[in-house]
Amino acid sequence: MTFDIKNKNVLITGANRGIGKAILEEAISRRAAKVYAAVRDLDSASSLVEEYGDRIIPIHVDLDDAASIKSAAEKASDVDVVVNNAGVMKIAEAMSDDAIEALQFEMNVNVYGLMRMAHAFAPTLKSNGGGAFVQLNSVASVKTFSDFATYCASKAASYAITQGLRDSLRDQGTHVLSVHPGPIQTDMGDAAGFGDSAGSPVDVAKAIFDGIVNGNFHAWPDEVAQQVGNAYQSFAENIVEADMQESVA
């Protein structure tokens, strides 16, 4: 199922800043009926409510807390599009002293958090006709950078889960979109040292809703991402997106 988000209800995790805020603003500009700003601290969404009024509904979601996600799914029972944008990053090489702890932290939010969101919201999307489930992955899902090795590992895992969700949710009419930004100008990007050459969060937001409209599985929003995506395209089309029968050796 693909559709324009006009008059649809959208939920965005991490909607109070960075890419999440850009996604929220893009949803509003495309005339979404309502946007659930899913944040850990409800007060952090107060400025969004002041700007956009009752089209913004702050809702508590912590990707580390399954109960908060389940509660949010019950409250946002009319949601049509779920964008799981929130994530974490540690700067850790594979041989760093804290590499295992960093990976455990990143896996819990970036992978298990994704799974918690999917488990809670898939039934809601199904009951509302299917809708769309969007996961913010990364170019780091397909290419490891040594300074961020543990983060890359967590994003590779979240990409694998996203591929599984694409197949698992197809029968209920839910369109799954995997988004793979390169370096983006956010607080997380600044902490990683990406600098002014990083892409704009607006490009990511536009790519998400264009990807939903066009029925794509992959979205490569910015210049760096597009370079990776162009090189990856053949594998993506012929392997990742192909309907291959599972076999047991």
Side-chain angles (χ1 to χ4, degrees):
M1 178 180 177
T2 63
F3 50 80
D4 193 295
I5 69 159
K6 180 180 178 181
N7 298 325
K8 300 296 194 300
N9 299 321
V10 182
L11 181 141
I12 304 162
T13 64
N16 56 317
R17 61 178 186 167
I19 294 175
K21 184 179 179 182
I23 298 169
L24 180 145
E25 291 170 343
E26 184 68 16
I28 291 294
S29 73
R30 297 194 186 206
R31 301 177 66 183
K34 181 193 305 180
V35 180
Y36 291 98
V39 294
R40 288 183 297 174
D41 178 5
L42 292 177
D43 289 340
S44 69
S46 59
S47 63
L48 297 171
V49 175
E50 290 175 7
E51 183 170 0
Y52 298 109
D54 58 8
R55 294 176 69 188
I56 304 298
I57 310 296
I59 191 167
H60 175 64
V61 166
D62 184 342
L63 293 185
D64 188 30
D65 180 2
S68 76
I69 297 172
K70 181 178 179 181
S71 176
E74 293 170 352
K75 293 175 181 176
S77 59
D78 57 352
V79 73
D80 302 294
V81 179
V82 173
V83 183
N84 187 41
N85 157 75
V88 296
M89 177 174 65
K90 293 284 189 178
I91 301 175
E93 299 181 3
M95 293 302 295
S96 297
D97 291 341
D98 63 344
I100 291 176
E101 291 80 5
L103 180 57
Q104 288 173 330
F105 174 70
E106 290 160 330
M107 289 287 290
N108 185 48
V109 175
N110 297 343
V111 184
Y112 305 146
L114 160 61
M115 297 176 73
R116 294 177 187 119
M117 287 291 295
H119 287 194
F121 280 96
T124 302
L125 292 172
K126 181 180 179 180
S127 68
N128 293 331
F133 187 95
V134 180
Q135 168 63 20
L136 265 291
N137 288 314
S138 171
V139 295
S141 301
V142 298
K143 163 64 180 174
T144 295
F145 302 90
S146 62
D147 289 348
F148 314 99
T150 61
Y151 173 76
C152 296
S154 73
K155 284 300 183 178
S158 69
Y159 179 38
I161 293 296
T162 308
Q163 293 176 51
L165 291 173
R166 172 180 177 262
D167 296 337
S168 297
L169 301 183
R170 181 186 292 120
D171 288 345
Q172 71 171 46
T174 299
H175 173 67
V176 174
L177 176 65
S178 183
V179 187
H180 297 262
I184 301 296
Q185 295 175 10
T186 63
D187 291 344
M188 184 184 291
D190 289 343
F194 292 158
D196 294 338
S197 61
S200 170
V202 173
D203 292 336
V204 182
K206 291 181 181 298
I208 286 172
F209 295 115
D210 289 345
I212 293 174
V213 170
N214 295 325
N216 298 333
F217 175 58
H218 293 95
W220 308 89
D222 56 282
E223 184 175 350
V224 171
Q226 288 162 15
Q227 292 176 356
V228 175
N230 289 340
Y232 187 68
Q233 183 176 359
S234 177
F235 181 82
E237 291 178 353
N238 292 291
I239 302 298
V240 176
E241 299 181 32
D243 291 326
M244 302 178 68
Q245 295 297 318
E246 296 181 8
S247 62
V248 179

